[in-house]
Amino acid sequence: MNQMTRIPALEIPTPPFKTRARQALNDEQLRRNFRVAMDSLMTKRLAIMSDPDERERLREMGNRIRARALSKLPDLLEKLEANLARNGIQVHWAETTDEANAIVQSIAEAHKATRLIKGKSMVSEEMNMNHVLEKQGIECLESDMGEYIIQLAGQKPSHIIMPAIHMNAAQVASLFSNTLGTEYTTDVDELIQTGRRVLRQKFFEADIGISGVNFAVAETGTLLLVENEGNGRMSTSVPNVHIAVTGIEKVVENLRDVVPLLSLLTRSALGQPITTYVNMISSPRKSDELDGPREVHLVLLDNGRSQAFADGELRQTLNCIRCGACMNHCPVYTRIGGHAYGTVYPGPIGKIISPHLLGLENTPDHPSASSLCGACGEVCPVKIPIPALLRRLREENVKPPEATPYLMRGQGSKFSPRERLTWKGWKTLYTSPTLYKSFAYLATRFRNLTPGNVGPWSENHAAPKPASRSLHELAREHLGEDKA
């Protein structure tokens, strides 16, 4: 296997979102790839959730389960920690990604580990774990096929469920041929088998296995992971040490809550009734067991989640179960892809969670990168009101930075004193009949003096120009009042 391509650090989005979006729109192959993939995913979801009554009942149940867990989040986290510790799993708390990476690195150093194998984990992407560990001389190899493909390509995931969805079979075939030295083929099954042959030995060579967590069950101290490839089970059971990383919001109250959430997750994500593997990890290997890790760690990451939790409305962002359905149905995401966002979490869910993780000052255009068509909210399996949250973030974006209460990092990142003054003038004009009539009279008479360039609006629209006569004047003429 050739030396792994170095993955660039991507902490703050650059260049600006609009620049990346324009570049993506000009990439015809990228747009075709996404169109084909999204159409397939939407069709599969609709087929597996064809009964609208059953679908809405399940969505309502999922919403209640997640809302109840969040309402008890501090208590459930303490209960989770206590039960995990009782089961022999070591729990670590991290407020920032730097702290989380330091914890993982310290565990690796304690075991003199130089090779890590990793199952799919968006939180590890959030931590930029591969890049950080690589700088310390520790290889961290992705074992999820999609993640492995983009690691070979030196890219970041473009979708939270299907990281390499932006690539077609021909592109993957060229990548494998160039990096692994394999024979060029576009046969998907052969490409998958090629990746598996390379990865199989790596599971047994790895010192530590890394994974994410889909749900952490407080009542039993159980870490639950779902997957289709078996790589997650290999990553968590073959190496002697297993480190799981997850956000603090993934906790649920009990195992009963997991059943409807699993049904919602798999059907919304891939149109499947259930995934091939459902892994439940409650302890390290016991003395009478033949396999499994001898040591299990869980890293619970905050990284801005407490900020969202503190606000009753924005807290709903944390309901997300990471299915990706909102992306698959978003007219913006399906045209520009995930890399255009420049953040770990793209699409509608990324637009509401990234401002908490990175700050509004680093994601100022994300809340506005939406048509507010409502498709994301309609398909969300746990009924997150994404359009409403986008509107709320837009409000936070244009508040004066010194406004109280100060709720969000980067509040007021798009605040403009001139714009604020303009809207105050608009309010005054439209609440005073005398001023409004005078303005309408002058605007219609001097309409030819209207500027042709009125800022960003003119980039994609014709500049507004007053009519030669106002509606009030036309109405009076129609009623004959002018003659009277």
Side-chain angles (χ1 to χ4, degrees):
M1 178 178 174
N2 294 354
Q3 185 176 0
M4 194 66 66
T5 305
R6 288 183 176 272
I7 299 174
L10 263 182
E11 297 177 356
I12 304 302
T14 183
F17 171 79
K18 292 181 181 179
T19 301
R20 293 190 303 270
R22 290 191 182 97
Q23 292 170 348
L25 288 171
N26 290 328
D27 188 335
E28 294 185 6
Q29 183 63 61
L30 178 73
R31 294 185 66 179
R32 283 196 297 270
N33 292 351
F34 270 95
R35 185 71 276 160
V36 171
M38 297 299 103
D39 286 348
S40 173
L41 290 168
M42 288 191 289
T43 301
K44 289 178 180 178
R45 175 190 174 275
L46 189 59
I48 200 71
M49 303 181 82
S50 57
D51 183 343
D53 293 333
E54 189 261 355
R55 179 178 66 234
E56 292 309 306
R57 284 196 299 271
L58 195 57
R59 290 180 69 221
E60 185 63 35
M61 187 183 303
N63 175 265
R64 290 199 302 268
I65 290 171
R66 293 300 297 133
R68 170 163 43 84
L70 285 177
S71 70
K72 304 177 180 179
L73 184 60
D75 293 336
L76 289 183
L77 286 171
E78 290 184 5
K79 185 175 183 180
L80 174 69
E81 179 182 30
N83 286 329
L84 286 170
R86 176 175 53 81
N87 294 343
I89 296 176
Q90 301 177 49
V91 180
H92 310 266
W93 299 85
E95 185 175 353
T96 66
T97 56
D98 286 342
E99 291 180 9
N101 281 317
I103 292 168
V104 174
Q105 184 181 334
S106 67
I107 297 171
E109 290 175 349
H111 291 272
K112 297 181 173 55
T114 58
R115 291 167 295 186
L116 277 62
I117 192 84
K118 180 155 74 72
K120 191 173 184 307
S121 165
M122 289 307 297
V123 169
S124 73
E125 295 288 351
E126 186 181 327
M127 295 162 55
N128 209 12
M129 182 192 294
N130 293 6
H131 179 77
V132 172
L133 293 179
E134 182 187 73
K135 291 195 296 184
Q136 304 302 319
I138 301 173
E139 178 192 44
C140 193
L141 182 66
E142 298 286 352
S143 64
D144 173 85
M145 188 55 62
E147 293 277 0
Y148 178 60
I149 290 169
I150 63 170
Q151 188 176 31
L152 284 176
Q155 298 176 357
K156 287 287 185 177
S158 60
H159 192 286
I160 61 176
I161 298 296
M162 293 150 287
I165 200 169
H166 58 288
M167 302 175 71
N168 59 28
Q171 291 170 316
V172 175
S174 296
L175 175 67
F176 277 17
S177 178
N178 294 333
T179 58
L180 303 179
T182 58
E183 183 178 348
Y184 179 91
T185 175
T186 57
D187 182 87
V188 175
D189 288 337
E190 180 58 33
L191 289 171
I192 291 174
Q193 291 306 318
T194 298
R196 286 179 175 171
R197 283 194 294 270
V198 173
L199 290 170
R200 180 64 59 173
Q201 186 60 31
K202 294 291 183 178
F203 287 111
F204 295 97
E205 294 175 353
D207 304 301
I208 294 176
I210 305 283
S211 79
V213 177
N214 289 99
F215 304 107
V217 184
E219 182 181 58
T220 57
T222 302
L223 308 179
L224 189 144
L225 296 79
V226 296
E227 49 154 337
N228 277 321
E229 299 175 16
N231 62 296
R233 182 164 294 182
M234 294 283 283
S235 298
T236 61
S237 61
V238 176
N240 278 326
V241 180
H242 169 212
I243 304 173
V245 293
T246 190
I248 58 174
E249 81 281 13
K250 290 296 186 71
V251 65
V252 294
E253 193 165 2
N254 51 57
L255 283 171
R256 290 189 304 275
D257 290 343
V258 169
V259 178
L261 292 178
L262 280 181
S263 180
L264 284 165
L265 173 60
T266 56
R267 293 203 275 177
S268 300
L270 299 169
Q272 296 179 216
I274 195 169
T275 54
T276 306
Y277 300 93
V278 177
N279 306 302
M280 296 188 185
I281 301 168
S282 294
S283 71
R285 181 196 304 188
K286 296 179 181 177
S287 57
D288 58 344
E289 293 177 334
L290 300 178
D291 57 14
R294 300 183 184 280
E295 197 172 297
V296 180
H297 299 260
L298 173 65
V299 180
L300 286 164
L301 177 64
D302 186 328
N303 194 33
R305 289 164 173 82
S306 291
Q307 175 182 266
F309 177 78
D311 184 275
E313 182 181 21
L314 297 175
R315 180 181 301 176
Q316 297 173 93
T317 303
L318 303 180
N319 281 345
C320 179
I321 58 175
R322 303 293 191 270
C323 70
C326 60
M327 300 179 188
N328 305 340
H329 292 75
C330 175
V332 177
Y333 175 86
T334 56
R335 284 161 177 78
I336 65 174
H339 290 154
Y341 293 84
T343 52
V344 171
Y345 302 102
I349 185 59
K351 286 180 286 196
I352 63 172
I353 196 171
S354 296
H356 295 288
L357 306 183
L358 297 172
L360 274 170
E361 74 274 21
N362 295 313
T363 55
D365 294 320
H366 284 60
S368 300
S370 170
S371 65
L372 296 181
C373 67
C376 51
E378 290 177 6
V379 300
C380 177
V382 288
K383 303 184 74 171
I384 300 174
I386 298 178
L389 297 180
L390 286 171
R391 289 193 294 269
R392 169 66 187 283
L393 290 173
R394 292 180 184 186
E395 292 176 12
E396 299 297 328
N397 230 350
V398 297
K399 281 183 178 178
E402 67 279 0
T404 54
Y406 185 85
L407 297 174
M408 287 198 66
R409 174 185 159 195
Q411 173 183 296
S413 61
K414 299 191 78 171
F415 173 74
S416 167
R418 184 173 64 177
E419 182 181 351
R420 181 58 59 93
L421 184 62
T422 300
W423 282 114
K424 284 185 178 180
W426 183 90
K427 177 182 177 181
T428 302
L429 178 66
Y430 279 81
T431 53
S432 170
T434 301
L435 283 176
Y436 179 80
K437 289 178 182 178
S438 300
F439 172 77
Y441 179 84
L442 293 172
T444 54
R445 270 60 180 179
F446 297 98
R447 58 192 295 266
N448 291 327
L449 299 178
T450 304
N453 187 339
V454 288
W457 175 267
S458 305
E459 292 179 9
N460 301 298
H461 307 80
K465 189 174 185 178
S468 58
R469 302 170 71 189
S470 71
L471 178 61
H472 285 178
E473 289 174 329
L474 292 172
R476 284 197 298 270
E477 179 181 331
H478 179 71
L479 295 173
E481 293 181 6
D482 286 348
K483 296 178 182 179

